[in-house]
Amino acid sequence: MQVTDIGDKEEGRIWHRKPAQNNGVFITVVRSGKQGKKVRFLHVTFDTTGESFLAGDHHGNIYVFDISRNRFRLVRKTGLACTALAFSLRRTTEFLVALADYSIKCFDKDTKQLVSWMRGHEGAVSSISVHGSGRYAITTSSDAAQLWDLDTFQRKRKLSVRQSVGIQKVFFLPLGNTILSCFSDDSIFAWESDSLSCKYQLLVPEEGPRVSYKAFAVTRDGKSLVAGGRSNLLHLWCLDSRQLVRVLQMPAVVRTVRQLHFLPDSFDGGASQTLGVLSQDGVLRFLNIHTCKLLFHMGSHDEAITTATVRSEVIQRPAKTSGRRVRPKVLRPPATDSMTEDKENELPAGLNKKRLVALLQAFGEYPAKYRMFVWRSLLRLPENHAAYSSLTDKGLHGAYLALHHKYPIKSHKLQRGLQRTCLVKNCKGL
């Protein structure tokens, strides 16, 4: 196992020889400060590609690690310990960091410049949840949760609670516009993000020991929720039926659940079955939520894990073998026209362009709940450089060039406003 000490370097290689492709620790990155003391990394988050991640340490230094290029860079020295990170904004080079002074700052990882500074919390921000479109973010502290517009960096809404009932976590559900809020009294509510009207409440069973929820995880399809806390019990909810479907019991050594993460798989369609559970003993255990069987674990008492994060793409899980080295079978599908057509119709998040077009022709529009998400996937936004270049190559529309002759306005200010509201090109498919 390789160990890389980045020390006070501002950039460099992550590894000097390519690590072996085997199950287990890929590489260990540490940072030694003055007098050789180790500086703890507090929070880590992957970007949307899963090829790079951000890491914030106890001294307020934010690093970006690019795994595909084998490089790391110091992005910013904030001078304050970070309490939360988010790296899936609409502008892919920007990220959010919550600091110990209760503020949230947005930086650009390429230019290393401060983009915006957001204030409003009266306590430390414990989590940042970004909407699937990348336009909105929810920041959560114990006293309040705030909804931000990341285009203007202005606060849209604020959720405050009584001092006797604190907020545990507020976050967006995948593939929709639903916000889930969880409070210290174990109450869970779902809200519509546009109107903030309450959609439903998940009823906690009155019988049995109280779990005191602290950690939450949702599958990629947004249909299952797992909650855990100061207990070795985990509650599994079905969000479609809004019912508690299963109670999972961890080993007796687990007294508190700190983090929960679902591992995505190749053929699960977003309905993940493997759940990672990080407990107070620093061991990250993985189990199947349907069979309740423990699969494997990471960490130990001597090498305790304090925090964990999962990349959005598929993670290879270690499998039990007899000790012999097994050569993996590589299945190569034949190159046919149908395969090429299917590849062209594939969209992010498992959508299919051909089916979406058929739905649009049949109903005339997409459901309001998923409309923004569907169009964002169809138009491949953001960063659709090819479509943007094809539009700019066509030049200005003829009607736009003669706009001031057809609608003569003396006020230049009103004339510019009219020009900004006009479309340059018309697409019949929209």
Side-chain angles (χ1 to χ4, degrees), residues 92-129:
T92 55
T93 61
E94 295 179 0
F95 64 91
L96 295 176
V97 54
L99 301 174
D101 63 350
Y102 312 154
S103 66
I104 305 105
K105 293 183 179 180
C106 180
F107 295 103
D108 190 297
K109 71 178 182 68
D110 291 343
T111 64
K112 302 183 180 181
Q113 297 298 315
L114 174 66
V115 178
S116 184
W117 190 343
M118 298 174 285
R119 287 186 175 274
H121 282 280
E122 297 179 359
V125 175
S126 58
S127 69
I128 302 175
S129 175

Side-chain angles (χ1 to χ4, degrees), residues 41-55:
F41 285 102
L42 300 178
H43 296 278
V44 178
T45 181
F46 281 97
D47 66 354
T48 53
T49 66
E51 295 297 329
S52 62
F53 63 89
L54 288 172

Side-chain angles (χ1 to χ4, degrees), residues 151-428:
D151 284 346
T152 61
F153 294 99
Q154 298 294 318
R155 185 176 66 190
K156 293 177 63 67
R157 297 291 180 90
K158 180 179 180 180
L159 172 64
S160 300
V161 294
R162 301 191 307 269
Q163 293 182 354
S164 59
V165 182
I167 300 176
Q168 292 297 339
K169 193 173 183 180
V170 181
F171 54 95
F172 288 105
L173 290 182
L175 306 181
N177 295 322
T178 303
I179 298 175
L180 215 61
S181 60
C182 311
F183 301 93
S184 58
D185 61 353
D186 285 354
S187 59
I188 302 176
F189 292 88
W191 312 81
E192 185 67 36
S193 62
D194 296 332
S195 61
L196 285 188
S197 58
C198 184
K199 298 178 64 176
Y200 57 85
Q201 178 184 3
L202 298 180
L203 299 178
V204 180
E206 298 180 356
E207 300 178 355
R210 183 181 173 187
V211 177
S212 297
Y213 297 143
K214 297 289 183 182
F216 308 90
V218 182
T219 55
R220 288 185 301 160
D221 59 4
K223 294 183 178 181
S224 298
L225 166 72
V226 172
R230 296 176 182 173
S231 170
N232 67 340
L233 300 178
L234 301 175
H235 286 177
L236 175 62
W237 303 82
C238 175
L239 296 181
D240 286 340
S241 62
R242 304 165 190 175
Q243 299 292 326
L244 180 65
V245 294
R246 190 172 288 112
V247 177
L248 310 176
Q249 185 172 12
M250 299 297 293
V253 294
V254 176
R255 298 189 305 273
T256 302
V257 175
R258 291 182 176 176
Q259 284 184 302
L260 294 169
H261 295 285
F262 276 107
L263 295 190
D265 208 338
S266 302
F267 307 105
D268 59 10
S272 307
Q273 299 182 10
T274 304
L275 177 69
V277 182
L278 178 62
S279 56
Q280 88 290 338
D281 58 357
V283 178
L284 181 61
R285 298 174 175 86
F286 296 87
L287 69 152
N288 187 295
I289 61 173
H290 297 298
T291 63
C292 303
K293 181 180 179 181
L294 287 173
L295 303 177
F296 59 97
H297 70 274
M298 297 179 182
S300 62
H301 179 73
D302 297 329
E303 297 180 354
I305 300 173
T306 58
T307 184
T309 187
V310 176
R311 60 185 289 182
S312 59
E313 295 183 341
V314 175
I315 292 182
Q316 295 180 348
R317 300 193 303 263
K320 293 183 179 180
T321 62
S322 60
R324 295 178 298 176
R325 188 172 180 179
V326 181
R327 295 180 71 95
K329 295 181 179 180
V330 180
L331 302 179
R332 303 184 183 277
T336 61
D337 295 338
S338 60
M339 293 292 293
T340 304
E341 183 181 355
D342 291 340
K343 189 174 182 180
E344 292 177 353
N345 289 323
E346 288 180 358
L347 294 173
L351 299 179
N352 184 278
K353 181 179 178 181
K354 193 173 181 180
R355 294 180 181 177
L356 290 176
V357 171
L359 287 174
L360 185 62
Q361 292 175 347
F363 299 99
E365 62 179 3
Y366 295 116
K369 183 178 180 180
Y370 303 106
R371 189 173 300 148
M372 182 171 58
F373 169 75
V374 171
W375 281 116
R376 181 170 58 87
S377 301
L378 278 173
L379 300 177
R380 299 183 183 274
L381 299 176
E383 307 294 335
N384 193 340
H385 300 289
Y388 178 79
S389 300
S390 65
L391 288 175
T392 55
D393 292 342
K394 295 180 180 179
L396 296 177
H397 198 281
Y400 179 84
L401 295 174
L403 188 66
H404 62 286
H405 294 298
K406 189 173 182 179
Y407 302 100
I409 301 176
K410 293 183 179 180
S411 173
H412 294 288
K413 183 178 181 179
L414 293 177
Q415 184 71 35
R416 288 194 300 270
L418 177 62
Q419 291 174 345
R420 283 195 298 267
T421 59
C422 294
L423 295 174
V424 177
K425 291 293 179 183
N426 178 38
C427 179
K428 296 181 180 179

